[in-house]
Amino acid sequence: MTISQSGQVRAHLGDAPVTLRLSLAALMQIEQALEISGLEALSMRFRALSASDLSEVLTALLIAGGHEDAQALAQAAAPTDAAKAVLACFQANLT
């Protein structure tokens, strides 16, 4: 995975190269989908993330990365690929 400008992370979901981006809009979408408020609550939720939570987070990051087919990409992703991509995006943007 590589980090480009504007906080974007390039990753692979299976054979598909994708771009993920953590934007304020993506954070808002994630908070709404997970019914939480704030980064501390998000951090706590990440400790017990369900498959549907992971899909919601990945979808938001893919949408912010410019993918029109974000939901389909997220739902088709292998769990390990999805988790690695989400982790890379958050690490690149919040550390």
Side-chain angles (χ1 to χ4, degrees):
M1 290 179 212
T2 59
I3 304 167
S4 66
Q5 61 190 8
S6 304
Q8 294 182 350
V9 173
R10 298 192 196 280
H12 280 83
L13 298 178
D15 292 335
V18 294
T19 301
L20 289 83
R21 183 170 177 262
L22 184 60
S23 65
L24 286 176
L27 276 173
M28 290 169 46
Q29 183 178 348
I30 291 166
E31 286 181 341
Q32 184 176 23
L34 301 183
E35 298 178 348
I36 58 169
S37 180
L39 292 176
E40 186 174 333
L42 182 60
S43 175
M44 302 258 314
R45 184 66 174 265
F46 271 15
R47 294 178 188 170
L49 209 59
S50 71
S52 61
D53 291 345
L54 181 57
S55 180
E56 292 286 351
V57 172
L58 183 57
T59 297
L61 298 175
L62 288 166
I63 289 170
H67 295 276
E68 292 180 16
D69 56 348
Q71 189 172 22
L73 281 170
Q75 290 178 354
T80 301
D81 290 345
K84 285 179 182 179
V86 167
L87 180 61
C89 190
F90 274 87
Q91 285 180 328
N93 286 281
L94 297 178
T95 56

